[in-house]
Amino acid sequence: MSDLTLILLAAGNSTRFQTAVKKQWLRIDHDPLWLYVTNRITAMKNFSKVIIVAHPDEISFMSSMCDYAIVAGGETRQESLTNAMEYVNSPYVLVTDIARSCIPNELIERLIASKDIADCIVPSLPLSDTIVYVNTTIDRDQVKRIQTPQLSKTSVLKAALQTTLHYTDESSAIVAHGGTRYFIDGDESGHKITHTHDLSSLTCLKAPSNAIFTGNGFDVHGFEEGKPMVLGGVEIESPFGFLAHSDGDVAIHALIDALLGAACMGDIGMLFPDTDSTYKNADSKELLRQCVLKLHQFGFVILHADITIIAQTPKVASYKDAMRRILCQLLQIPLSRVNIKATTTEHLGFIGRKEGVGVLATASLHYFDWKNG
Ligand code: MG
């Protein structure tokens, strides 16, 4: 039985990372970065437990992709770490940041081999530039760049985190608490991804797969007298609208399901539950906007959408162009990649009896290509 727990911090907001995709969701072939790093470290060593700390909004999607324990992060790195430490009961804990994606296995081996030397074992690197503190040049040999992963004694780290002071790594909290720290040589390949330009130094990471993913969506809504009708984001002249918890835009609902299907992200009801009063009479365009934002954050780029509106009434032919123009803006793709078709059921069935409208949608996505921009 291993005496070591692995904690991977992946809850960051990527605020300094200037792309729509969050850095933990950059794809390495098919795996998001957080999963790639976790699989790589766990393949080299048997851990008693593996805990990934994630943004609360991302936990359900992450859990659908793996069997690792995923816990909610906090506002700061320290808060996230404190949350994860509640689940640690092994004598030692190895904490790393997902953004340090190319840490060599050999560095982790050296950390583990040094585990009894001090309360916290820390990789560090020297500085080669002249260092000025405020206005004074200081001896650079006395200055170190601190990296993660760091290996700590669990009991000491838990005690050190019982503080209102803020630290950016485990060793600083441990030393401030009276514990001991031992430095081992760090490794430049453990460089942290903070800005977009950091990606070019990560030669260990494979480019994302160029696969294309397709999803379908289907939705039906019955008519409701006196309600405005919104279909494909466009207001339609009609004596009735759609009976629904939201504005009932059945075309956008089918489209959201197609997008979520392509991303393997479940369905519209999981993203916007109709038991949630927030979505009462919701503007479906806003739901689509939120869906697109999430897809982008999770590393997807929308390629195209095709929608078939099945309606005996209203007649939608004259609205198709307006729908395409609104939807391409919401999807943030060129007009040439949105198609709308309209058909009837030749008076058959509930649609033919003019009781409601059905919509089929197809959408395709690919991964954001962070290697080639
Ligand atoms: Mg619906």
Side-chain angles (χ1 to χ4, degrees):
M1 181 69 181
S2 168
D3 57 5
L4 183 61
T5 295
L6 174 66
I7 294 178
L8 298 114
L9 301 172
N13 275 323
S14 288
T15 40
R16 287 171 290 176
F17 195 64
Q18 300 292 316
T19 64
V21 54
K22 292 178 89 173
K23 61 189 174 193
Q24 57 268 40
W25 287 97
L26 295 168
R27 302 297 166 133
I28 316 307
D29 193 14
H30 279 284
D31 286 341
L33 187 67
W34 62 266
L35 184 57
Y36 166 83
V37 172
T38 309
N39 285 341
R40 198 169 63 76
I41 298 178
T42 54
M44 65 163 288
K45 168 88 189 144
N46 195 16
F47 293 93
S48 73
K49 211 182 267 184
V50 176
I51 302 166
I52 302 172
V53 188
H55 190 285
D57 290 350
E58 296 171 20
I59 293 177
S60 77
F61 188 36
M62 291 170 76
S63 302
S64 75
M65 302 175 88
C66 69
D67 293 321
Y68 296 116
I70 302 176
V71 307
E75 289 296 310
T76 62
R77 183 186 187 279
Q78 186 161 313
E79 216 179 287
S80 292
L81 176 60
T82 306
N83 291 355
M85 287 300 290
E86 276 182 44
Y87 302 89
V88 181
N89 41 29
S90 60
Y92 302 92
V93 59
L94 183 72
V95 181
T96 193
D97 295 273
I98 288 295
R100 294 196 193 267
S101 310
C102 294
I103 300 151
N105 289 357
E106 167 277 330
L107 174 62
I108 294 175
E109 295 290 3
R110 284 192 287 116
L111 281 165
I112 294 170
S114 309
K115 69 183 181 187
D116 289 319
I117 298 177
D119 295 324
C120 187
I121 315 300
V122 185
S124 73
L125 290 167
L127 281 98
S128 52
D129 297 321
T130 297
I131 307 296
V132 176
Y133 178 72
V134 189
N135 206 19
T136 307
T137 302
I138 56 172
D139 179 1
R140 68 180 171 210
D141 293 339
Q142 298 301 316
V143 180
K144 290 178 172 63
R145 287 156 57 202
I146 302 297
Q147 294 187 303
T148 65
Q150 298 182 5
L151 192 148
S152 304
K153 288 185 178 150
T154 302
S155 56
V156 180
L157 180 56
K158 279 186 177 177
L161 290 171
Q162 302 292 313
T163 174
T164 52
L165 297 175
H166 182 79
Y167 300 99
T168 52
D169 77 322
E170 299 81 83
S171 78
S172 303
I174 284 176
V175 169
H177 187 253
T180 54
R181 163 167 64 189
Y182 179 75
F183 295 107
I184 64 166
D185 291 339
D187 194 300
E188 287 294 351
S189 55
H191 183 72
K192 191 174 173 185
I193 309 171
T194 306
H195 302 99
T196 322
H197 61 76
D198 293 325
L199 292 170
S200 58
S201 60
L202 297 174
T203 47
C204 80
L205 300 178
K206 227 175 138 178
S209 157
N210 59 10
I212 290 172
F213 303 92
T214 305
N216 65 60
F218 174 64
D219 199 19
V220 168
H221 280 280
F223 295 133
E224 183 183 329
E225 292 255 1
K227 195 175 172 183
M229 177 177 284
V230 188
L231 189 60
V234 173
E235 222 170 289
I236 308 272
E237 216 168 294
S238 163
F240 37 75
F242 293 113
L243 184 64
H245 183 67
S246 66
D247 66 4
D249 190 330
V250 59
I252 288 189
H253 297 180
L255 176 58
I256 290 175
D257 265 352
L259 292 164
L260 295 176
C264 280
M265 280 172 61
D267 62 32
I268 188 170
M270 291 161 69
L271 211 55
F272 310 109
D274 61 9
T275 48
D276 186 336
S277 58
T278 321
Y279 305 118
K280 178 104 182 106
N281 295 321
D283 177 353
S284 296
K285 291 193 287 298
E286 187 49 39
L287 305 184
L288 179 57
R289 219 172 263 130
Q290 288 182 38
C291 173
V292 169
L293 178 72
K294 267 200 191 305
L295 289 169
H296 288 168
Q297 286 181 341
F298 289 155
F300 292 103
V301 174
I302 300 167
L303 201 54
H304 120 287
D306 181 30
I307 292 171
T308 303
I309 299 170
I310 311 164
Q312 202 67 53
T313 192
K315 293 284 169 225
V316 294
S318 61
Y319 296 98
K320 287 196 302 187
D321 193 50
M323 289 179 190
R324 285 179 67 220
R325 287 174 192 280
I326 286 198
L327 294 177
C328 79
Q329 278 177 23
L330 291 165
L331 295 168
Q332 299 176 38
I333 61 176
L335 184 61
S336 58
R337 299 201 198 156
V338 180
N339 191 56
I340 311 266
K341 306 189 291 296
T343 187
T344 70
T345 60
E346 299 291 347
H347 299 282
L348 296 172
F350 68 90
I351 291 174
R353 291 192 299 272
K354 303 182 179 176
E355 293 169 14
V357 165
V359 176
L360 286 167
T362 304
S364 48
L365 313 173
H366 62 83
Y367 295 133
F368 171 70
D369 187 355
W370 56 269
K371 263 217 161 155
N372 299 304

